[in-house]
Amino acid sequence: MEKSWNNRAWFLVLPVLALVAFSAVVPLMTVVNYSVQDTFGNNEFFWAGLEWFEETVTSERIHAALGRQVLFTAIILAIEVPLGIFVALHMPKKGFWASLCLILMAMPLLIPFNVVGTIWQIFGRVDIGLLGRTLTALGIDYNYTNDWLDAWVTVIVMDVWHWTSLVALLCYAGLQSIPEAYYQAAKIDQASRWAVFRYIELPKMRGVLLIAVLLRFMDSFMIYTEPFVVTGGGPGNSTTFLSIDLVKMAIGQFDLGPAAAFSIIYFLVILLISWVFYTVMTNLDREDRP
Amino acid sequence: MSRITLSNLAHSYLPKPKTPADYALKEMDHVWQDGGAYALLGASGCGKTTLLNIISGLLRPSQGRVLFGETDVTDAPTAARNIAQVFQFPVVYDTMTVRENLAFPLRNRGRDAAYIAARVDQIAAMIGMEAMLDRKARGLTADAKQKISLGRGMVREDVNAILFDEPLTVIDPHMKWELRTQLKQLHREFGHTMIYVTHDQTEALTFADKVVVMHEGRVVQTGTPEELFETPEHTFVGYFIGSPGMNLFEAEVEGNMARVMGHPVPLSASYPAARGRVQIGIRPEFVQLADEGLPAIITRVEDVGRHRILRGEAFGQPVNLLLPEEIPAAPGPAFLRLAPEKINVYADDWRVLPVGARRAA
């Protein structure tokens, strides 16, 4: 079929452009605006150039927060992804128990973030919390308010409790799409349980795993509410992740310029790492092709 | 390799079956001789796949035993039975190459690398995929994938049986014929017991030495293609095998004479008094036009090349004739003559034996 060439067709893109501009570009621009200016109050701003960016990149405090952030994200990905796959593999495939499992698994996902934080904040308290008191009664010296390791363990366990379901549910959906004939053929071919996982289940889950890893990476890298409610970033700075640090800077100290520069770099880092994840995982896929 | 015996076998997909209608497979006893090439023929949903899955151990029967030789394997898992099975739709391991796919069953059994390499090459040649051995299986077409599935089914030499569950459904017609020939050759060469499920009678008749016809969860007849054609044991076999199927007329049978709505039809043998619904059946090939006989009305003449199919009606029932090209035929009233030696008598759908005759084993 002959297609006509008409540049006026671009006008059809305008509504989308306008929407995206209002929803994303314009708010982001205000951040960009702050990031290159300085103020001494009275709503007077002065051009500051890249000064805030230099400060952000060289700040030891932010480096430390970034280090904690990377460690936290790495730990929760290393736990939640394998655990999610494991749970999905062992969930019933159909019937009453499958529905029950799905509902129970979805529960943590439905709880608002600050409620999750509050639940764990109280749960872990040594004076009134079930977990804290039990551990103390067992003779374990646990107190997330003054021991950094206890704080980390609490925050990580809370995140695993909150989000493993997401990975499990996504993997479960991937597993459900595998036709029964594949398992039958594997039995006929006398494949081991591991071979079934490696050659049938894992390849079929790859697509949803990519989504799961990306979502969990982005969410955990931006985590704010839950650790803030539980530990407030402490003890000391031990659980001050990037978002907590950023909010302290922007709202606590009202350093709009440095906070804006920080935000932009933060955003670019997330974008970059997401891109790396995506590229690596889709290329693993493509490597299979001749 | 060994004989496969199904003893007193029945299967229902319901946990507590009550009526016979709840059973996908009705109670049956059946023996698959070692080294036989069987076709399992029947309409969709008659229990063919269920039967295969019971033999391969993918399904445990609700009752009865499965024996390989003298060994009871009813509770043995699939892996212990050493059976190959090819499914209707292609199953390949996406992330493996064609070569790895073909080698997979051998590798799982721990065969040595040199043997696997040689055997894979042999199978690749058989299914015509030598050129694609190092390609990933993922991007291949459906029929290439199905050829890999077939190859994986044939790669083990020591299997007890190879089961094919309508394996050529997705393959194009030319390749279908070629692969079927390959399967036959494979059978001649290695003498595996092969059970080939299909609902296509041409496929069944060209592949198998023995055809097993199933109907509503029952094996209704086992025999050579010729036996199925000449003496269908059940009206379903008469109707299902042959194109068009067997003509059936409601009749009363007394001795060696049948009466169809009062019209006498001579039979070649004498029959005992039968109970239930009595019918006589005759293949369209053995019905001729005559000056007198059963009155019928021919409604249509179809020219199908070397012969013609006449379709019509007799006593309100459809009737078909297969006539050679040179015999003139036109729609209108006619009389039919049924060749007496080709008539079978059925009571409640099952064939009645003439007096003194014995059923073929």
Side-chain angles (χ1 to χ4, degrees):
Chain A
M1 203 180 88
E2 192 73 18
K3 283 182 185 167
S4 58
W5 189 260
N6 190 335
N7 270 326
R8 276 176 299 181
W10 285 107
F11 286 119
L12 297 175
V13 184
L14 273 182
V16 175
L17 217 59
L19 268 176
V20 173
F22 273 102
S23 68
V25 182
V26 173
L28 196 65
M29 277 307 126
T30 63
V31 177
V32 174
N33 190 32
Y34 282 133
S35 74
V36 290
Q37 300 191 64
D38 195 2
T39 178
F40 300 104
N42 285 335
N43 223 8
E44 283 177 63
F45 285 88
F46 310 92
W47 175 252
L50 293 178
E51 193 183 322
W52 303 133
F53 288 92
E54 278 162 31
E55 199 181 292
T56 305
V57 185
T58 53
S59 158
E60 269 176 37
R61 204 194 61 197
I62 292 176
H63 286 174
L66 179 67
R68 285 190 289 270
Q69 184 69 71
V70 170
L71 183 64
F72 174 75
T73 297
I75 291 174
I76 67 105
L77 279 181
I79 296 174
E80 286 174 16
V81 173
L83 185 62
I85 294 174
F86 180 83
V87 170
L89 286 174
H90 290 85
M91 274 168 72
K93 290 239 156 80
K94 53 188 168 203
F96 169 76
W97 293 108
S99 315
L100 186 73
C101 266
L102 287 175
I103 293 168
L104 288 178
M105 303 276 294
M107 290 293 240
L109 302 176
L110 300 177
I111 302 174
F113 293 15
N114 54 354
V115 176
V116 172
T118 311
I119 290 173
W120 282 83
Q121 204 262 349
I122 296 170
F123 188 46
R125 276 173 67 162
V126 281
D127 51 350
I128 57 167
L130 183 64
L131 176 71
R133 287 201 65 160
T134 310
L135 288 175
T136 311
L138 290 173
I140 297 165
D141 182 21
Y142 166 85
N143 190 339
Y144 66 78
T145 53
N146 58 28
D147 184 286
W148 71 268
L149 187 62
D150 292 349
W152 267 77
V153 169
T154 309
V155 171
I156 285 168
V157 170
M158 174 177 64
D159 198 83
V160 169
W161 175 83
H162 194 185
W163 289 112
T164 303
S165 299
L166 179 76
V167 182
L169 291 179
L170 282 168
C171 290
Y172 185 69
L175 287 175
Q176 290 289 66
S177 71
I178 301 175
E180 186 56 28
Y182 277 79
Y183 293 109
Q184 295 184 333
K187 277 191 198 162
I188 296 288
D189 292 338
Q190 308 185 347
S192 61
R193 182 69 193 85
W194 166 252
V196 170
F197 175 70
R198 170 70 187 77
Y199 297 112
I200 297 175
E201 291 169 335
L202 197 58
K204 295 276 175 195
M205 275 193 297
R206 188 179 264 160
V208 288
L209 266 182
L210 172 66
I211 294 172
V213 168
L214 275 180
L215 281 178
R216 281 318 298 134
F217 160 72
M218 289 188 289
D219 274 353
S220 67
F221 213 77
M222 298 187 292
I223 192 165
Y224 174 76
T225 316
E226 299 129 290
F228 183 76
V229 172
V230 177
T231 64
N237 270 337
S238 62
T239 53
T240 300
F241 301 122
L242 286 174
S243 283
I244 296 178
D245 203 28
L246 176 62
V247 172
K248 265 186 201 165
M249 199 190 272
I251 314 236
Q253 300 156 8
F254 226 70
D255 280 336
L256 287 186
F262 184 179
S263 302
I264 288 171
I265 290 173
Y266 192 3
F267 166 66
L268 290 178
V269 168
I270 291 179
L271 200 64
L272 176 76
I273 301 180
S274 297
W275 177 79
V276 169
F277 267 121
Y278 183 81
T279 316
V280 168
M281 287 184 76
T282 45
N283 271 347
L284 277 179
D285 208 34
R286 203 163 302 138
E287 209 178 48
D288 297 336
R289 290 166 197 273
Chain B
M1 288 182 229
S2 53
R3 190 175 50 156
I4 298 171
T5 311
L6 308 177
S7 151
N8 196 22
L9 190 88
H11 186 73
S12 171
Y13 287 99
L14 303 174
K16 287 195 185 88
K18 290 182 191 83
T19 64
D22 290 344
Y23 281 89
L25 277 185
K26 313 275 193 300
E27 208 171 282
M28 65 165 75
D29 286 283
H30 195 85
V31 176
W32 311 87
Q33 294 300 343
D34 183 17
Y38 292 93
L40 192 52
L41 189 66
S44 300
C46 71
K48 293 170 298 190
T49 301
T50 307
L51 189 58
L52 276 205
N53 288 349
I54 286 175
I55 294 173
S56 62
L58 295 172
L59 212 59
R60 199 200 173 283
S62 325
Q63 70 167 69
R65 320 300 304 165
V66 181
L67 307 167
F68 284 8
E70 300 302 318
T71 326
D72 187 332
V73 293
T74 317
D75 294 303
T78 304
R81 298 192 186 192
N82 202 12
I83 287 252
Q85 186 170 359
V86 180
F87 300 91
Q88 182 171 7
F89 295 103
V91 175
V92 297
Y93 303 105
D94 281 341
T95 52
M96 296 187 195
T97 62
V98 175
R99 186 191 302 280
E100 288 164 339
N101 258 287
L102 293 177
F104 192 57
L106 295 177
R107 218 176 279 160
N108 288 333
R109 286 180 72 74
R111 306 303 295 259
D112 63 275
Y115 170 78
I116 294 177
R119 185 69 187 150
V120 165
D121 284 338
Q122 210 176 334
I123 292 295
M126 197 177 285
I127 57 175
M129 293 197 76
E130 298 113 308
M132 291 192 223
L133 272 180
D134 290 309
R135 278 185 59 174
K136 288 278 174 187
R138 180 193 302 265
L140 300 175
T141 59
D143 61 298
K145 284 183 181 176
Q146 186 63 339
K147 281 196 270 173
I148 298 174
S149 305
L150 272 172
R152 267 207 335 271
M154 301 185 294
V155 75
R156 285 182 282 152
E157 288 175 284
D158 58 345
V159 287
N160 281 314
I162 310 182
L163 314 179
F164 300 94
D165 192 353
E166 307 192 32
L168 304 182
T169 313
V170 294
I171 302 228
D172 75 73
H174 169 71
M175 198 63 205
K176 234 180 203 170
W177 185 83
E178 199 175 305
L179 283 174
R180 215 159 49 216
T181 319
Q182 295 272 20
L183 291 182
K184 271 224 90 144
Q185 191 179 337
L186 188 83
H187 179 255
R188 270 196 294 272
E189 236 172 276
F190 294 99
H192 292 305
T193 309
M194 288 189 177
I195 304 175
Y196 188 104
V197 164
T198 177
H199 60 249
D200 178 340
Q201 51 161 313
T202 332
E203 216 168 276
L205 299 180
T206 50
F207 172 78
D209 310 330
K210 275 265 170 88
V211 178
V212 178
V213 184
M214 284 187 74
H215 180 54
E216 290 176 346
R218 264 198 192 87
V219 171
V220 287
Q221 188 169 5
T222 305
T224 60
E226 199 183 1
E227 285 165 354
L228 297 184
F229 186 79
E230 295 278 339
T231 50
E233 291 294 336
H234 188 275
T235 52
F236 174 78
V237 181
Y239 151 81
F240 200 70
I241 307 267
S243 171
M246 186 180 249
N247 295 307
L248 289 164
F249 303 99
E250 305 283 336
E252 289 153 26
V253 174
E254 250 188 75
N256 60 357
M257 185 59 78
R259 287 179 185 281
V260 179
M261 302 297 271
H263 294 270
V265 176
L267 305 171
S268 64
S270 215
Y271 286 85
R275 258 176 293 172
R277 180 189 186 208
V278 180
Q279 289 170 297
I280 58 170
I282 186 160
R283 295 264 174 212
E285 285 83 349
F286 309 122
V287 183
Q288 285 168 348
L289 295 177
D291 295 331
E292 50 174 13
L294 289 182
I297 296 172
I298 304 298
T299 49
R300 217 147 36 108
V301 178
E302 289 169 20
D303 208 325
V304 288
R306 270 182 298 151
H307 51 249
R308 282 187 232 186
I309 301 172
L310 274 60
R311 296 192 189 272
E313 221 176 75
F315 312 112
Q317 286 182 32
V319 61
N320 297 307
L321 283 70
L322 212 65
L323 293 182
E325 185 81 342
E326 58 277 7
I327 295 181
F335 290 101
L336 308 180
R337 184 183 173 278
L338 316 184
E341 67 283 4
K342 300 293 185 188
I343 296 176
N344 290 304
V345 177
Y346 296 91
D348 284 337
D349 290 329
W350 293 92
R351 189 166 82 98
V352 180
L353 283 177
V355 175
R358 310 186 73 197
R359 206 170 287 269

